[in-house]
Amino acid sequence: MKPLPLSDVYALIEAGPVVLLTTARKGRANVMTMSWHMMVEFEPPMIACICSGANYSYDALHATGECVIALPARKLAAKVVKVGNSSGREIDKFAAFGLTPLPAERVKPPLIKECFANLECKVIDRRLENRYNMFILEVLQAWVDPAQKNPKTIHHHGYGKFVVDGPTIRLKSRMR
Amino acid sequence: MKPLPLSDVYALIEAGPVVLLTTARKGRANVMTMSWHMMVEFEPPMIACICSGANYSYDALHATGECVIALPARKLAAKVVKVGNSSGREIDKFAAFGLTPLPAERVKPPLIKECFANLECKVIDRRLENRYNMFILEVLQAWVDPAQKNPKTIHHHGYGKFVVDGPTIRLKSRMR
C-alpha cells in the first residue's frame, strides 16, 4: 500500500461505492459492509456514516472510536455480500472469506490487503449517534494499492443488486 | 411523474449518484449540484446532506427548511456541470440551462421535469448545521418518471470527471 494524499480522499467516497468497515476490540478484528456514508469536509477529510446498532461492528465502533474504511473493487463483490450477510458475533469473517488484515499505522483496526484503498479513521463527533447511529469520522491516513489500476467500484441498489462502474466522462468543470 | 413508494427511496440514494437540489425563497426557485449525501433511515426515508455555506442555495435551505432532491440521468450530465459552475445569485438556472420546474405537492421548491426521480424533502434536524453545514432531511413524497426506463446515473470523482453506471450484477443477499 502506498500513501494517498488526504486531499484526494473525497474523490473516492463522494461517488458512493460500497465499502467495507473494519473495527477491532479486545484484540479481535471484524469487518462489515456499508453503503450509507458521505463526505463532510475536504481537508482534513471527514466522512459521516451510519452504522446500525444491530451490527456487531456498532459496539466496537462505539467503544473504540476507530475504524478503517476499505474500498473493494468489482472482483470482491461476492465477498462483500458474504461479509454483509454474516456477523462477527459468530465467525471470524477475515478467515471465513479470505480477506487479509494488515496492520494500520494510526489506528488498531486493520487495513484489508485485497482492497484498492484503505482509510484509517477516528470518530470525532458523536452528537447524532444516539438518534441516527451516525458517526463523524476524520481520516488520519489514506492508502492505495498501486497494483490495482483503475479499479471499478460497486454501488448497492438493494438486496444484492449492484451497479458496477461503467464509462468515465470528462466535462470542463470548476467543481472540486 | 408517478408516485414512488417511500420504502423504495433508499435504493436511489445509497448508490451515490450526483443529484440536483432545488430550493425556493421569496417566490424564486434555484437549483444546485450535490454529491455529498447519504441515507440515514429507510422509513420514513431520511437523507443527510452537506450544503456549503458558499452556495446561494444554502441561504434558502437554511431559511425555508425545504428542498427537492432531483436525480438526473446521464443525458443531463452537461447541464449538471453548468448548474454546478454557476450561481443563482446571478442567473435563473432553470431558464439558462433548459430545466423545467414543476410544482411539488408538499413543499414549495419545484420538481425538475427532466429528472427521472424527484424527492420532496423537509429539514428535520439542524444540530450539525453550524459545524458541518449538514442537514437531515425527511422525504415526504417521492416521484419517478415512468418514461425513463433504467436510467443510468452519474457519479462525481472531482473536477468534472464522472463515472456513468455500467453493468448490473445480482448476487443472493439478505442485505436490504
Side-chain angles (χ1 to χ4, degrees):
Chain A
M1 294 276 168
K2 190 181 83 175
L4 176 76
L6 291 179
S7 55
D8 291 346
V9 165
Y10 79 96
L12 295 174
I13 294 297
E14 74 171 46
V18 175
V19 301
L20 298 174
L21 184 139
T22 80
T23 48
R25 193 180 180 200
K26 298 176 183 170
R28 190 160 164 272
N30 189 25
V31 54
M32 64 171 270
T33 298
M34 184 170 78
S35 282
W36 290 13
H37 53 72
M38 69 174 176
M39 288 308 298
V40 169
E41 185 53 87
F42 287 108
E43 275 186 86
M46 297 180 197
I47 298 171
C49 71
I50 308 288
C51 178
S52 163
N55 291 319
Y56 189 54
S57 297
Y58 172 84
D59 299 336
L61 186 54
H62 172 79
T64 68
E66 293 188 343
C67 63
V68 167
I69 292 177
L71 279 82
R74 189 253 173 274
K75 64 180 176 183
L76 293 179
K79 293 187 182 192
V80 164
V81 168
K82 286 175 187 166
V83 166
N85 283 283
S86 57
S87 173
R89 275 187 200 93
E90 284 138 30
I91 57 167
D92 173 347
K93 299 198 214 180
F94 289 94
F97 306 131
L99 294 170
T100 311
L102 295 177
E105 196 168 285
R106 307 277 303 269
V107 298
K108 289 208 176 65
L111 316 179
I112 299 177
K113 185 184 176 186
E114 290 77 11
C115 287
F116 71 86
N118 281 275
L119 312 176
E120 302 186 21
C121 302
K122 70 169 180 188
V123 175
I124 57 164
D125 197 322
R126 297 172 180 268
R127 275 180 284 170
L128 299 192
E129 183 186 339
N130 281 348
R131 177 71 184 84
Y132 306 108
N133 294 312
M134 185 191 297
F135 296 91
I136 310 289
L137 310 171
E138 180 180 332
V139 180
L140 304 175
Q141 174 80 43
W143 304 96
V144 287
D145 175 4
Q148 296 195 50
K149 311 272 186 212
N150 302 312
K152 290 193 182 296
T153 63
I154 57 174
H155 304 261
H156 194 225
H157 287 248
Y159 296 111
K161 179 184 172 187
F162 296 91
V163 172
V164 185
D165 286 348
T168 296
I169 55 179
R170 287 172 194 276
L171 299 167
K172 198 174 168 184
S173 174
R174 291 190 308 273
M175 282 189 294
R176 183 177 183 190
Chain B
M1 293 278 167
K2 191 181 82 174
L4 176 76
L6 292 180
S7 56
D8 291 346
V9 165
Y10 79 96
L12 295 174
I13 294 297
E14 74 171 46
V18 174
V19 302
L20 298 173
L21 183 139
T22 79
T23 49
R25 194 179 180 200
K26 297 175 183 171
R28 190 160 166 273
N30 190 24
V31 55
M32 64 171 268
T33 299
M34 184 170 79
S35 283
W36 290 13
H37 53 70
M38 68 174 177
M39 288 307 299
V40 169
E41 185 54 87
F42 287 108
E43 273 186 271
M46 297 180 197
I47 298 171
C49 70
I50 307 288
C51 178
S52 163
N55 290 320
Y56 189 55
S57 296
Y58 172 84
D59 298 337
L61 186 55
H62 172 79
T64 67
E66 291 188 343
C67 63
V68 167
I69 293 177
L71 279 82
R74 189 254 174 272
K75 64 180 176 185
L76 293 180
K79 293 187 181 192
V80 164
V81 168
K82 287 176 187 166
V83 166
N85 284 283
S86 57
S87 173
R89 276 188 199 94
E90 284 139 30
I91 57 167
D92 174 347
K93 299 198 215 181
F94 290 93
F97 307 130
L99 295 169
T100 313
L102 296 176
E105 198 169 284
R106 306 276 302 271
V107 297
K108 289 209 173 68
L111 314 179
I112 300 177
K113 185 183 176 188
E114 290 78 11
C115 286
F116 71 87
N118 282 275
L119 312 175
E120 302 185 20
C121 303
K122 71 169 178 187
V123 174
I124 58 164
D125 196 322
R126 296 172 180 267
R127 276 180 283 170
L128 299 192
E129 182 186 339
N130 281 347
R131 177 72 184 84
Y132 306 109
N133 294 312
M134 185 191 297
F135 295 92
I136 310 287
L137 311 171
E138 179 180 332
V139 180
L140 305 174
Q141 174 79 44
W143 305 95
V144 286
D145 176 3
Q148 297 194 50
K149 311 273 187 210
N150 302 314
K152 290 195 182 296
T153 62
I154 57 174
H155 304 261
H156 194 226
H157 287 248
Y159 295 111
K161 178 184 172 188
F162 296 91
V163 172
V164 185
D165 286 348
T168 296
I169 55 179
R170 288 172 194 275
L171 298 168
K172 197 173 168 185
S173 174
R174 293 191 307 274
M175 282 188 294
R176 184 176 181 190

